[in-house]
Amino acid sequence: MRGIKEVPESIREWERISAHSHITGLGLDGLKAKPVADGMVGQIEAREAAGLVVRLIKQGKFGGRAVLLVGPPGSGKCVSGDTPVLLANGEVKPIEQIYNEWKNKGSVLEKNENEEIIKVEDLEVVSLNPENLKIEIKPVEYIYKQRVNESLLEIRLRSGRRIKVTKSHPLLTLKKEGLAFCNSSELKVGDYIAVPRKVVTKPSTEIKIDPEAKARSEILLEEIKKRISEIEYSIFLVQEGFSINSVANFFGLHNETVRRWVNSDLPYYSSYLRVKNPFIAINSVNYSRTPPIELPEKVLPELGEFFGYLISECDEYINKKIESYTIRFHNTNKKLKKRFKFLVKKIFGLNAKFFNDGKRSGVKISNRNLKEFLEAIGYTVGKKSPEKDIPDLIMRADEKVIASFLRAFADGEGSVGEEGIEISTSSEKIANKLSYLFLRLGIVTRMIEKKVKNKERKYYRIVISGGDFLKIFKEKVGFSIDRKRKKLAILCKKKPHTNVDLIPNLQELLMRTRRNLGLSKQLFYGSKNGYRYEKEENGRKMKRTTLKKIVERNNIQGVIKILADSDVFWDEIVEIKEVEEKEVYDLCVKDNHTFVAGFGGIIVHNTAIANAIAKELGKDVPFVQLAASEIFSTDIRKTEFLTQTLRKAIGARIHEIRKVYEGVIKELEIEKAPHPYNPYQQIPIGAKIKIATKDESKTLKVDQNFAIQIYQQGIEVGDIVQIDPEIGKIVKLGKSEEAIKEKSYDITSEKSLPIPSGSVLKEKEFVYPVTLHSLDVAFAREAGSDIFSLFFGARESKEIDAEIRQQVDAYIKDLVEQGKCELLPGVVFIDEVSMLDIETFAFLNRAMEQELCPILIFATNRGLTTVRGTDIVSPHGIPLDLLDRLLIINTRPYTKEEIKKILEIRAEKEKIKIEKDALEYLTEIGERASLRHAIQLMAPAYEVAKERKREKISVEDIKFVEERFVDVKRSVEYMKSLEEKFLK
């Protein structure tokens, strides 16, 4: 039996060929194709068919079958309309509103009675990177709207979050098998899905005032300035001896008006002189004496605090008859009443008054200009508590403003209990947005929804519990009221009774990681109770802080570290029910294909053919691509070339567990002796090594083979090594962190590693991905090691004997039976399949019936044509008996918009900058000639642009290369025009 050590390093990777580097998958949402996704554009039906093929391949249900992609050359949405979506600027808007706002600003790609697709620019959302589970800002490329005839699923979580999605809509889950996006129809009560632990936005302190209100205020201010000038001039004229009557006649005013100007101090007009940046919205000259307000220049913490009190503790009254607006702040706490009065004065320059009507006491302020200002910045005035909402300028604000807003709101509506903080509101909009605002600070809240007895009205309790979240609230938000602040301080000092930030379903992952490190449960978990986390059934959910400690203690990388450091909170599904909706919407988010949406915030997913299939299958599935013409350009038999190709696409993942010594070298002594043929030269004949981990050390005496490897690799004291006695190999993994600190390097190429934990001698699993062809080559080389190869070099035969392949098959079969190997049948993609002849078609037909055969995918752009090697005319040049065994997928020519999008993607991938006009012209070339020709012109055109000292390709550059590089049609026309001069 050959050992794994005989598999050369150079053949331990799959062969993967992909010319379309911009393609990352099929761009599917379940089995529904997105118009543009994963680098794929258009070809909706073809990609959906390919998605079914991929699914069958992964399930192992596609053996003995093949696919044919046929086409000319170049050839339900997610959530309900009321679903809130978190935008990059912090605003939270229903997705239907986002669609309506952008449908006139974006460009319509498709519109029919069932579906609308809008391409957008400059729209960004908060998104989760599925690779590292970190929250990022990503642009939206498309917005979708679609009519549906099926029911949706409303999913409710233990935290009170909820969302309505289509049954094929994927949500990120964590099960025993690992992380995965699962269709909502596959989820069940008790599963856990991802919600954000914290979110990032692009905050702004700008106050966006309605342009019409701002313009009106500026016009009215000019009138006020004019009137003040008239008053000052009138006073001057009277002081100079002019009579009041003469002055009144001069201005065309009543005598009494001028008399008041002269004899009164006119506090109304003088108020404008005290305001630096006044704002008015009503005609104060003719009708009103409402004083102006100071216009805030930007959103500061004081303004956030004002809105917190306004929304939580204030009643608003609008008297339409006398056109008055009054705010009344109700609270028994004297400190808060003084604070609200102070804020009104500091922000708006207005004097609020204390009141006590016998039933309630508080602070009130009446000012119509304040009402107009609040409306101009997007706040809806005069609403009752259940209809109130948090304005967008607070949602867009920075962390300091948000903290001030939340503190004021909690001062009014919050309380501190035995287990945490509760904040109450009767407004669903406020409950939702409060949850999103707390996520900005890294606090995950629970939302408890209850109905008032004997009434339809609901109210919501926002609950903050768990030691970590309470501490964040204390540090970043806090209370202004002493009583609440003291209670919170006591609560934070207590050991929390409830742990809310837990990670489920880690049993298998933890067990596998611990065994790979060769550690006992007590050493790995740092506790005698560590066994609880690995129980097969109902294993304990682990606190995130505990997992972080385990990761740091054992220097764990990979999925466990990603989970420990992620921006994800795992929330349990408590209810799934069907609901009816007529329209659904989706966002196509660049790169990540995820966004944060739903009541309270939930992470949701949005979603050339052969290359996309390769990416969709994943890197573990071998994928080999070739053109049919390659088969006839080799110096080996056609059938041998095809055999090698098929075996390149059959993978084997070989597992082996071996005992190795691993640790840092503490002491190293090399034993030397004179060279047998040169006594003046010393050579290593052995070594003594002291190797240690954090927990133990061992002294090993090794032979000459290991000593030579130590010399060759430059291994020294402080290096972390792995010694494999079974295969006689020592490997330098890197240098210990302590050794690098001792040498005080500023920059080093050495890899810094922590000292391993556990025993020096430990069991480790080694996994070798190989293909059957790579094993064929390795076995063939060994078979050629004879006396001839010793003197003249090994004989390299490009063809492999059938006997060698039988040995490889027997070897793999034996490993599979021992449970040490798993087979991975891959995919062979053959382009230009009509170029194959009858012999190769017969061989492939027979190969499809073999036990070990990869999936075959053919592609052609031929119609009826002759089967090569025969006189038979057949569809696509393929024999009918083989054609009958194929699943056929039709592709179609690209539209102009699709060609343009492909060129944009390709330019971005190749880092080529191109002007809009040039892109349009290149699109016309792709439509007129071919997409491939248009793509081929980009690189030379970019070189021309650089030669002309331009950063972007212009139309002139494309015309320059277009004249020098002709497409197929122009080449044929040229040949026809000179047909008589060409050699026959």
Side-chain angles (χ1 to χ4, degrees), residues 170-221:
L171 295 169
L172 182 60
T173 63
L174 178 59
K175 298 185 177 182
K176 288 183 179 180
E177 297 78 15
L179 284 164
F181 278 100
C182 292
N183 288 347
S184 59
S185 60
E186 299 171 1
L187 297 172
K188 61 183 185 300
V189 172
D191 285 344
Y192 288 83
I193 65 173
V195 305
R197 288 181 69 246
K198 62 179 179 180
V199 296
V200 295
T201 63
K202 292 181 176 180
S204 171
T205 57
E206 178 188 1
I207 295 179
K208 296 180 180 179
I209 300 177
D210 178 65
E212 291 185 8
K214 189 173 183 180
R216 177 174 172 78
S217 176
E218 290 172 355
I219 292 170
L220 294 175
L221 283 171

Side-chain angles (χ1 to χ4, degrees), residues 11 772-782 800 804:
I11 64 173
L772 293 191
H773 176 68
S774 61
L775 289 173
D776 293 343
V777 173
F779 276 55
R781 283 177 180 165
E782 183 182 322
I800 297 172
I804 296 293

Side-chain angles (χ1 to χ4, degrees), residues 727-740:
I727 64 174
K729 193 173 183 180
I730 182 170
V731 178
K732 178 180 176 179
L733 302 177
K735 192 169 286 291
S736 69
E737 293 172 348
E738 289 81 355
I740 287 180

Side-chain angles (χ1 to χ4, degrees), residues 468-659:
D468 293 338
F469 296 144
L470 287 170
K471 287 175 183 176
I472 294 173
F473 183 92
K474 178 177 176 291
E475 292 167 5
K476 293 187 176 183
V477 182
F479 290 102
S480 300
I481 299 174
D482 294 337
R483 172 176 47 84
K484 294 181 181 180
R485 188 164 56 243
K486 288 176 183 177
K487 280 188 175 182
L488 177 60
I490 294 170
L491 187 61
C492 288
K493 289 179 181 178
K494 287 183 180 179
K495 185 177 180 181
H497 297 292
T498 55
N499 295 312
V500 294
D501 195 4
L502 303 171
I503 304 177
N505 299 323
L506 289 174
Q507 301 97 299
E508 295 291 333
L509 199 55
L510 289 168
M511 189 187 305
R512 190 161 60 245
T513 303
R514 180 181 61 78
R515 287 177 177 174
N516 286 342
L517 292 173
L519 298 176
S520 67
K521 292 176 182 176
Q522 185 168 349
L523 279 174
F524 182 74
Y525 295 107
S527 167
K528 293 180 180 180
N529 297 323
Y531 70 92
R532 297 178 182 176
Y533 296 119
E534 295 184 12
K535 281 186 176 180
E536 288 296 326
E537 297 296 330
N538 301 319
R540 291 180 63 185
K541 295 187 285 289
M542 182 175 283
K543 290 192 294 184
R544 183 181 302 276
T545 52
T546 302
L547 185 61
K548 280 189 173 184
K549 290 177 183 177
I550 292 171
V551 167
E552 291 169 3
R553 180 187 297 114
N554 300 288
N555 189 33
I556 299 172
Q557 302 296 319
V559 176
I560 288 185
K561 180 173 174 57
I562 289 172
L563 287 170
D565 297 336
S566 75
D567 292 339
V568 169
F569 178 92
W570 297 100
D571 210 343
E572 185 182 5
I573 297 175
V574 295
E575 182 185 24
I576 301 175
K577 65 179 181 180
E578 293 194 359
V579 293
E580 297 298 324
E581 293 284 343
K582 293 182 179 180
E583 293 177 337
V584 288
Y585 298 79
D586 193 16
L587 304 177
C588 178
V589 180
K590 188 175 182 180
D591 299 329
N592 292 347
H593 305 288
T594 61
F595 56 98
V596 178
F599 181 73
I602 297 171
I603 296 165
V604 296
H605 190 283
N606 71 291
T607 68
I609 300 296
N611 297 281
I613 290 175
K615 298 290 175 68
E616 203 73 42
L617 287 169
K619 64 180 182 179
D620 285 344
V621 179
F623 186 92
V624 181
Q625 179 174 319
L626 72 148
S629 54
E630 293 179 41
I631 297 171
F632 303 99
S633 59
T634 64
D635 54 359
I636 60 176
R637 290 177 296 119
K638 293 178 287 186
T639 52
E640 172 64 18
F641 181 88
L642 284 171
T643 301
Q644 291 185 16
T645 300
L646 295 177
R647 290 177 73 83
K648 284 178 183 177
I650 301 175
R653 192 186 286 118
I654 301 173
H655 300 258
E656 187 176 51
I657 296 177
R658 296 202 300 271
K659 289 188 175 182

Side-chain angles (χ1 to χ4, degrees), residues 781-795:
R781 283 177 180 165
E782 183 182 322
S785 300
D786 52 17
I787 192 66
F788 180 86
S789 63
L790 179 65
F791 291 103
F792 302 103
R795 293 174 294 184

Side-chain angles (χ1 to χ4, degrees), residues 960-977:
F960 179 86
V961 296
E962 187 186 16
E963 290 172 0
R964 287 153 180 79
F965 300 100
V966 299
D967 59 84
V968 175
K969 293 176 184 177
R970 288 164 60 198
S971 178
V972 170
E973 290 171 1
Y974 176 74
M975 285 192 296
K976 285 182 178 178
S977 66

Side-chain angles (χ1 to χ4, degrees), residues 52 156 221 238 243 245 251 342 387 389 398 424 498 502 593 690 845 931:
L52 279 168
R156 288 179 176 264
L221 283 171
V238 171
S243 68
N245 288 341
F251 286 111
F342 167 80
E387 287 81 39
D389 196 1
D398 60 30
S424 300
T498 55
L502 303 171
H593 305 288
K690 184 177 181 181
N845 204 352
L931 172 61

Side-chain angles (χ1 to χ4, degrees), residues 10 25 78 102 134 223 285 392 421 429 440 462 497 521 563 644 787 866 868 910 917 920:
S10 60
C78 289
W102 283 87
K134 291 291 184 180
E223 293 180 6
V285 173
D392 286 341
I421 300 166
K429 291 178 182 178
R440 293 274 300 276
I462 313 300
H497 297 292
K521 292 176 182 176
L563 287 170
Q644 291 185 16
I787 192 66
T866 303
R868 293 189 65 185
E910 296 184 14
D917 292 345
E920 291 291 342

